[in-house]
């Protein structure tokens, strides 16, 4: 049911209640008027007849009957005359006022008084009976009430139509607001309301327009954010693919260096050693053979130092934890002036290659930065497994390092952040309270993205 119909029904009920109250008041007034009319008429008639009997007490009942016939009807009374034997000598003629019509019985029962009957004895000559007869007064009241109802009905119809029009005009702004809300519900966020009549409707319309603008702006922001997120995710996916391809190429190159080039360098070194033994008498040839041997040794050492940076082959053969232990041991040999510590929780299952390489490279870069820039005396590497999250920490007691790192390590720190993001983790570089810094990376094991290589 619409607001307009509800308001119209409420006003209609109130108008009906007003008309009903008016009718009830009118019936009460009519009842009092009829009572007063009957009382006054009955009193006058009784006094008139009593004085007639007193003045003409010598007259007989038939003489009184002649007088009553000449008197005629006395308004709201029926007069009956009986002789000493009870025979009716006279009865008032019926009223000619509005003859042939009577008020409805229910209305007469509401307004007419209880029937009154008075008897005057004629001293043995008979008796005179006076009965109240209010039908004409009741009929006057009924006619007046019909007139009142007619006027009230006409006024009610006119007022009802006027109220319907005025209520419709008053609620039309709210109907426009409801319609605009429905348009908004269907997704038409561009919907706006014009200036509406009335203070409340105008305030609601302005609030609706502000809300629609906020929703439209928020939707545009969310759309742009979704597009940005999609582009970022595409870039991340591309980065994962590139890193996977790069790691695959590094793995292939490291294996070729280790297997093919390593064998060839070993063969060169063996040939040079053989040449040196056979050229014992030729000092020049022996010197060249020794130089070739030293060069092949240097090439071999540099090649083996290069292989872990291309691809730590220990990851493929030993697993993440053992590969990190091997990395720490390598640094222990390369920097004997620094004390290295390594502790690690056992992994329930080996993570995928993306996670292994990412964590390894971050730890590798952290160790390199600490050794080169922090001037530490101790570096600790800790691997914690907490449920499905792996946390790697590299802490040193050096001079400390700001989050962005020194100029020479900015690229390395940015690379560590990118690697952590690629495996769905996060990386933080924090200053320790007792001096030095700690690099902390947390990587999900179960939800880590898989390599597409």
């Amino acid at each position: 049911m619409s607001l307009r119909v509800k308001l119209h029904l409420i006003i209609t009920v109130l108008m009906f209640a007003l008309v009903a109250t008016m009718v009830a008041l009118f019936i009460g007034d009519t009842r009092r008027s009829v009572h007063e009319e009957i009382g006054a008429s009955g009193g006058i008639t009784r006094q008139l007849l009593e004085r007639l009997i007193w003045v003409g007490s010598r007259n007989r009942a038939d003489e009184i009957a002649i007088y009553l016939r000449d008197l005629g009807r006395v308004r709201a009374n029926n007069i009956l005359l009986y002789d000493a034997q009870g025979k009716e000598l006279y009865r008032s003629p019926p009223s000619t006022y509005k003859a042939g019509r009577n008020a409805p019985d229910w209305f007469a029962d509401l307004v007419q008084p209880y029937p009154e009957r008075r008897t005057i004895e004629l001293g043995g000559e008979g008796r005179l009976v006076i009965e109240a007869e209010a039908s004409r007064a009741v009929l006057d009241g009924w006619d007046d009430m019909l007139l009142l109802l007619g006027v009230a009905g006409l006024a009610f119809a006119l007022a009802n139509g006027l109220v319907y029009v005025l209520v419709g005009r008053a609620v039309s702004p709210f109907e426009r607001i409801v319609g605009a809300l429905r348009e908004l519900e269907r997704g038409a966020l561009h919907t706006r309301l014009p200036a509406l009549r009335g203070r409340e409707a105008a305030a609601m319309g302005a609030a609706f327009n502000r809300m629609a603008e906020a929703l439209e702006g928020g939707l545009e922001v969310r759309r742009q954010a979704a597009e940005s997120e999609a582009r970022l995710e595409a870039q991340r996916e591309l980065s994962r693919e590139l890193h996977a391809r790069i790691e695959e190429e590094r793995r292939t190159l490291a294996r070729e260096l280790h297997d093919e080039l390593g064998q060839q360098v070993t063969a060169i070194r063996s040939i040079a050693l053989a040449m040196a033994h056979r050229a014992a008498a030729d000092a020049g040839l022996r010197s060249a053979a020794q130089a070739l041997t030293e060069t092949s040794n240097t090439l071999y050492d540099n090649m083996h130092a290069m292989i872990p940076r291309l691809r730590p082959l220990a990851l493929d053969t030993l697993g993440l934890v053992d590969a990190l232990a091997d990395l720490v041991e390598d640094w222990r040999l390369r920097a004997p002036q620094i004390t290295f510590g390594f502790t690690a929780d056992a992994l329930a299952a080996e993570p995928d290659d993306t996670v292994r390489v990412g964590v390894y490279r971050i730890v590798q870069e952290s160790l390199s930065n600490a050794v080169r820039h922090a001037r530490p005396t101790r570096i600790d590497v800790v691997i914690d497994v907490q449920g499905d999250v792996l946390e790697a920490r590299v802490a040193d007691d050096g001079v400390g390092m700001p989050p962005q790192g020194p100029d020479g390590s900015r690229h390395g720190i940015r690379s560590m952040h990118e690697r952590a993001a690629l495996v769905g983790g996060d990386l933080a570089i924090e200053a320790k309270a007792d001096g030095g810094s700690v690099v902390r990376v947390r990587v999900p094991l179960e939800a880590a993205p898989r390599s597409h290589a």
Side-chain angles (χ1 to χ4, degrees):
M1 186 181 297
S2 66
L3 178 62
R4 179 180 187 179
V5 174
K6 288 181 180 179
L7 291 175
H8 187 253
L9 287 178
I10 291 173
I11 295 174
T12 300
V13 170
L14 291 176
M15 293 177 67
F16 268 121
L18 176 63
V19 172
T21 302
M22 292 175 58
V23 169
L25 292 175
F26 178 82
I27 290 176
D29 289 341
T30 301
R31 181 181 178 84
R32 286 189 294 272
S33 297
V34 171
H35 280 229
E36 292 175 0
E37 173 69 17
I38 295 303
S41 177
I44 293 174
T45 302
R46 186 175 63 255
Q47 292 178 8
L48 175 64
L49 294 178
E50 286 177 348
R51 178 59 61 96
L52 170 66
I53 294 170
W54 178 74
V55 171
S57 58
R58 300 188 304 274
N59 296 338
R60 296 177 306 199
D62 54 350
E63 293 177 348
I64 294 175
I66 294 172
Y67 174 77
L68 291 175
R69 290 189 186 96
D70 294 337
L71 180 63
R73 182 173 182 82
V74 181
R75 189 163 177 131
N77 294 281
N78 284 329
I79 302 174
L80 294 91
L81 180 62
Y82 298 93
D83 59 12
Q85 290 74 32
K87 180 180 178 181
E88 182 179 297
L89 299 178
Y90 174 79
R91 175 182 292 272
S92 296
S95 176
T96 58
Y97 180 70
K98 297 183 179 180
R101 295 177 54 224
N102 288 293
D105 293 339
W106 64 268
F107 182 78
D109 293 337
L110 286 176
V111 300
Q112 70 182 2
Y114 293 106
E116 293 185 4
R117 185 183 180 91
R118 296 180 179 273
T119 301
I120 301 175
E121 298 295 337
L122 299 179
E125 291 291 327
R127 55 193 176 87
L128 193 63
V129 178
I130 303 173
E131 293 179 346
E133 206 285 310
S135 64
R136 301 303 92 188
V138 171
L139 182 59
D140 284 342
W142 172 251
D143 290 340
D144 291 343
M145 193 179 77
L146 289 179
L147 179 61
L148 174 64
L149 289 176
V151 174
L154 179 61
F156 175 80
L158 294 175
N160 206 29
L162 181 61
V163 165
Y164 187 80
V165 173
L166 293 178
V167 168
R169 181 179 176 82
V171 301
S172 61
F174 300 100
E175 293 176 350
R176 296 194 66 175
I177 293 173
V178 171
L181 287 172
R182 289 174 178 166
E183 290 294 322
L184 203 64
E185 183 181 11
R186 286 193 287 267
L189 299 182
H190 61 278
T191 303
R192 298 293 185 272
L193 286 171
L196 300 176
R197 296 189 307 272
R199 184 175 59 185
E200 293 80 4
M204 293 176 67
F208 173 86
N209 289 338
R210 290 194 297 271
M211 178 188 68
E213 290 174 0
L215 288 174
E216 190 173 20
L219 182 63
E220 180 63 21
V221 169
R222 287 195 297 272
R223 185 186 63 80
Q224 294 177 357
E227 292 178 353
S228 299
E229 182 65 24
R231 288 194 297 268
L232 180 59
E233 184 59 31
Q235 292 174 357
R236 287 175 179 170
E237 187 65 25
L238 179 59
S239 296
R240 295 188 191 105
E241 290 286 349
L242 290 176
H243 276 273
R245 298 298 181 186
I246 291 172
E247 289 300 330
E248 183 62 29
E249 291 298 326
R250 284 180 172 181
R251 180 190 294 113
T252 303
L253 183 57
R255 285 176 180 172
E256 290 180 354
L257 285 175
H258 183 272
D259 297 338
E260 300 297 331
L261 188 58
Q263 292 179 9
Q264 294 175 7
V265 171
T266 301
I268 292 172
R269 185 173 59 179
S270 299
I271 294 171
L273 289 173
M275 288 174 61
H277 286 298
R278 293 180 181 180
D282 189 341
L285 183 58
R286 185 173 61 252
S287 177
Q290 288 176 351
L292 182 59
T293 301
E294 292 174 359
T295 301
S296 62
N297 288 336
T298 302
L299 179 60
Y300 187 85
D301 292 339
N302 289 337
M303 180 191 66
H304 274 274
M306 187 186 302
I307 288 174
R309 297 198 63 82
L310 286 174
R311 169 72 183 190
L313 298 179
L315 281 176
D316 300 325
T317 57
L318 301 178
L320 177 60
V321 173
D322 292 335
L324 290 174
D326 186 67
L327 175 64
V328 172
E329 183 63 26
D330 181 63
W331 274 106
R332 186 179 288 119
L333 296 175
R334 293 166 58 186
Q337 76 279 9
I338 301 174
T339 301
F340 288 88
F342 179 77
T343 57
D345 294 339
L347 294 174
E350 193 69 16
D352 67 11
D353 188 66
T354 306
V355 174
R356 290 201 310 269
V357 172
V359 173
Y360 186 92
R361 293 299 189 192
I362 290 172
V363 174
Q364 186 182 47
E365 187 67 30
S366 300
L367 286 170
S368 177
N369 287 337
V371 172
R372 293 177 182 176
H373 306 291
R375 301 192 300 275
T377 61
R378 182 178 179 86
I379 300 176
D380 289 296
V381 178
V382 180
I383 306 298
D384 283 340
V385 178
Q386 302 169 358
D388 59 351
V389 175
L390 182 147
E391 180 180 274
R393 298 190 301 275
V394 179
D396 65 75
D397 61 354
V399 297
M401 182 173 59
Q404 71 272 16
D407 293 340
S409 67
R410 289 178 181 173
H411 176 73
I413 291 176
R414 183 167 62 250
S415 176
M416 288 193 294
H417 279 286
E418 291 175 355
R419 287 188 178 276
L422 283 175
V423 294
D426 58 87
L427 182 138
I429 302 175
E430 305 167 355
K432 294 170 58 179
D434 56 351
S437 60
V438 57
V439 178
R440 188 190 313 271
V441 61
R442 292 172 57 86
V443 176
L445 295 175
E446 297 296 332
R450 295 288 176 182
S451 171
H452 298 278

